[in-house]
Amino acid sequence: MHVRVLKNLSSVVALACLAIMPQLSAAQSAAAGKGASGTKLSRWDIFAGYSYLAPKGTVETPNEAANNPGDTPVDFQSINVGGIVSIARYFNAHIGAEIVGDFHPQDEGLVNGHFQPANDFSGGQIGLIYRFQTGNITTFVHGLVGGEVVGGPHWQLDTGGVGLTAGGGMDYETPWFNNHLAIRIFQADFQYAHINWGEVSHGDSWGGRGNPDMARLSAGLVFHIGEIAPPPPVTLACTASPTSVFPGDAVTITAAAGNLDPKENVVYSWTGTGVTGNGTTATVATGSLAAGTYSVQGTVKEGKPGKEGEKPWQTANCSASFAVKEYEPPTISCTANPSTIKPGETSTITSTAVSPQNRPLTYSYTSTSGSVSGSGASAEFSSAGAPTGSVGITCNVADDKGHTASGNTSVTIEAPVEAPKPHSSALCSISFSTDAKRPTRVDNEAKACLDQVALDLKQQADAKVVVIGESNAAEKAKTAKEQKMAAKHKHMMVEDSAAQRAVNTKEYLVTDQGIDASRITVVTTATDGQMVQNYLVPAGADFSTDVSDTTPVDETAVKPQARKPLGAAPKAHHKKKAE
């Protein structure tokens, strides 16, 4: 009866294996591509299934057995139908303890046309199991020791002995029952047993000794109970402070680890450009870094000293970024004081420069003309050699990082202010037309005019006077006639009324007013009249430019006439008519 049950159970397990094969093939392909599926590891595994046993070896029977047919050893026979049950309890993800029980009965019957008594095997063993899960496939190996009850192939009664087992197998983890059911695709074990049935046979029972080697193949279902959860993985977070710096500023990277086991040793490591440190903090030297974004990687590992990070949950990584900014260039403005100067004068140039990062600054200056001396925040502009007008001045500043800036100002060089050139100015004039008998005499009416002329000369010590004498047409004709006659008679007197009036006027100013004669110039003009025009000539004035068409009087030839009243005039003497 129990043989038929085992056969039915074997059929069910075989059909289940056939049904799951397509899914198993797909699962193996998926597992090969994606690695661990994340299936939870069980705490308990209970396996039940079909088992096939193939024992090898013979039983040596005692010679004195009464019904020993020829004293020939008899081989053990394979048992096609059997059952197996195991319970494994895991201490961690891989290692556990296992108890295995199996039974392999066999009925008596004909074997190759001969009646063959049955042999059977059953036993229980305990040992260690090691498993490894990849994706949906779990492989395992185990080693067991225990007892084995064997019935010999020659009517030996069931007798217990020592049994050893070594083997392994493969399970497929199904999603059924919330991942609590797996199919054991195969379990292949090698077993060894030592059985001693005794020395005496009696009745239908035989004695003897056997040391069968057995190959056991099994398949079935595995039920997972409970789970082994690995400890929470170590976590690590990194922060950079500050996150934006200028070259040369320090950056501190701080790591905060979580889920650390206080019983384990912890080590930190850092990688990145310019980073140093081996604890929870690291520093980055940015002095040699160009502008840009940089990243620092941190790692924490825990575990036994020298074995930190051997397990996946014992290692964590983090990353923190910071930016190195380009130094900002300086700014500058400049002014000139004074901003307007005369040729040859100087102006102070003042620069006001600022570096946003307080870098050291140097100054320089250029100008479109002239020169600037000085290399600090203050310099001096010299206008020597510069033309008049606006001069552009450029103030330059540079920091120690090569950044530059410029500012501009200007200085205006004024042209020299020239005093207005003085000009001759007309003073009062004297008329000589009232005294027909003495038309060149300076009369009393002329005194008022000439006294004012003298006063002007006294008030302007560097001024001069030009006296311009005139004559009318008749007088000019007379003078021309006398000059013509004098060309023939050297003693002939020539009277130039215009020159005489001018000389007589000068004589009054010199004699009556005490004016230096050198300050008075007498000239004549072609203007028709009987007047004397007086012109005041300030220092620097050019009379010939101001008044044209005048002729200087030869004062060696024209002598001044005395100012005598008319009644006191000498008697007229008739001149001898010239021949």
Side-chain angles (χ1 to χ4, degrees), residues 248-484:
D249 296 340
V251 176
T252 299
I253 310 297
T254 303
N259 297 331
L260 291 176
D261 187 343
K263 299 179 181 179
E264 302 287 0
N265 190 46
V266 179
V267 293
Y268 293 85
S269 60
W270 301 92
T271 58
T273 304
V275 63
T276 57
N278 56 8
T280 57
T281 60
T283 58
V284 182
T286 63
S288 61
L289 299 184
T293 300
Y294 296 85
S295 179
V296 174
Q297 291 73 41
T299 300
V300 63
K301 296 180 179 180
E302 71 170 4
K304 302 301 179 182
K307 298 182 178 180
E308 295 87 355
E310 289 187 350
K311 299 177 181 178
W313 59 83
Q314 293 179 326
T315 301
N317 300 302
C318 67
S319 178
S321 299
F322 63 92
V324 176
K325 299 183 294 184
E326 181 72 34
Y327 277 116
E328 297 176 11
T331 59
I332 188 173
S333 63
C334 58
T335 58
N337 184 33
S339 59
T340 301
I341 59 176
K342 293 181 174 58
E345 293 182 343
T346 61
S347 177
T348 299
I349 309 302
T350 302
S351 295
T352 303
V354 175
S355 170
Q357 287 75 54
N358 296 319
R359 307 305 305 177
L361 301 176
T362 57
Y363 300 83
S364 62
Y365 300 88
T366 59
S367 60
T368 56
S369 62
S371 61
V372 182
S373 59
S375 58
S378 180
E380 184 179 84
F381 167 72
S382 173
S383 62
T388 59
S390 179
V391 177
I393 298 174
T394 301
C395 307
N396 305 297
V397 65
D399 62 19
D400 61 339
K401 297 300 181 180
H403 301 99
T404 61
S406 298
N408 297 291
T409 188
S410 63
V411 175
T412 300
I413 303 175
E414 291 184 332
V417 178
E418 296 183 3
K421 187 176 182 179
H423 293 280
S424 304
S425 60
L427 300 177
C428 58
S429 61
I430 305 172
S431 175
F432 289 84
S433 63
T434 58
D435 190 347
K437 293 184 180 287
R438 292 176 292 182
T440 62
R441 176 179 177 269
V442 177
D443 58 17
N444 291 334
E445 293 181 0
K447 290 176 60 178
C449 171
L450 296 179
D451 289 348
Q452 182 62 46
V453 172
L455 179 61
D456 290 339
L457 286 172
K458 292 175 182 178
Q459 292 177 342
Q460 302 182 45
D462 57 352
K464 295 182 179 181
V465 167
V466 176
V467 178
I468 304 175
E470 299 176 359
S471 60
N472 58 22
E475 292 171 333
K476 286 181 174 63
K478 180 182 175 182
T479 300
K481 184 178 179 180
E482 291 175 349
Q483 289 174 340
K484 185 177 180 183

Side-chain angles (χ1 to χ4, degrees), residues 222-247:
V222 181
F223 298 92
H224 299 311
I225 301 175
E227 65 181 51
I228 296 178
V234 173
T235 62
L236 188 64
C238 297
T239 57
S241 178
T243 58
S244 181
V245 297
F246 291 99

Side-chain angles (χ1 to χ4, degrees), residues 128-152:
L128 297 177
I129 183 170
Y130 178 89
R131 67 181 173 184
F132 183 80
Q133 186 179 49
T134 303
N136 291 327
I137 300 299
T138 300
T139 57
F140 66 92
V141 293
H142 57 188
L144 307 169
V145 61
E148 192 75 17
V149 176
V150 179

Side-chain angles (χ1 to χ4, degrees), residues 18-251:
L18 291 173
I20 201 64
M21 286 303 293
Q23 299 182 34
L24 175 61
S25 176
Q28 287 176 322
S29 300
K34 70 180 181 180
S37 66
T39 303
K40 296 179 181 179
L41 296 173
S42 57
R43 175 68 68 179
W44 294 86
D45 282 353
I46 300 176
F47 165 60
Y50 161 79
S51 180
Y52 164 80
L53 189 69
K56 295 295 182 181
T58 60
V59 177
E60 297 180 0
T61 58
N63 291 332
E64 63 271 15
N67 53 354
N68 184 357
D71 234 4
T72 302
V74 180
D75 292 331
F76 288 98
Q77 300 298 314
S78 298
I79 302 173
N80 297 325
V81 179
I84 187 170
V85 175
S86 67
I87 299 175
R89 198 275 186 187
Y90 288 93
F91 309 125
N92 53 40
H94 301 292
I95 299 175
E98 184 181 30
I99 298 175
V100 179
D102 65 343
F103 56 99
H104 297 84
Q106 189 178 53
D107 293 334
E108 298 174 351
L110 290 176
V111 177
N112 296 325
H114 301 283
F115 180 79
Q116 177 66 51
N119 52 226
D120 59 79
F121 293 82
S122 60
Q125 298 181 5
I126 186 170
L128 297 177
I129 183 170
Y130 178 89
R131 67 181 173 184
F132 183 80
Q133 186 179 49
T134 303
N136 291 327
I137 300 299
T138 300
T139 57
F140 66 92
V141 293
H142 57 188
L144 307 169
V145 61
E148 192 75 17
V149 176
V150 179
H154 204 174
W155 295 284
Q156 283 87 356
L157 298 176
D158 289 344
T159 302
V162 177
L164 299 175
T165 301
M170 179 184 293
D171 296 343
Y172 168 68
E173 306 295 335
T174 74
W176 302 333
F177 302 102
N178 196 24
N179 297 325
H180 287 291
L181 180 64
I183 296 175
R184 181 150 296 175
I185 302 170
F186 72 88
Q187 177 177 316
D189 296 315
F190 172 79
Q191 292 185 294
Y192 168 80
H194 174 74
I195 306 298
N196 187 354
W197 285 279
E199 299 296 333
V200 179
S201 62
H202 51 85
D204 292 332
S205 298
W206 289 70
R209 184 184 305 172
N211 296 298
D213 297 327
M214 296 164 281
R216 183 176 65 192
L217 297 177
S218 308
L221 300 177
V222 181
F223 298 92
H224 299 311
I225 301 175
E227 65 181 51
I228 296 178
V234 173
T235 62
L236 188 64
C238 297
T239 57
S241 178
T243 58
S244 181
V245 297
F246 291 99
D249 296 340
V251 176

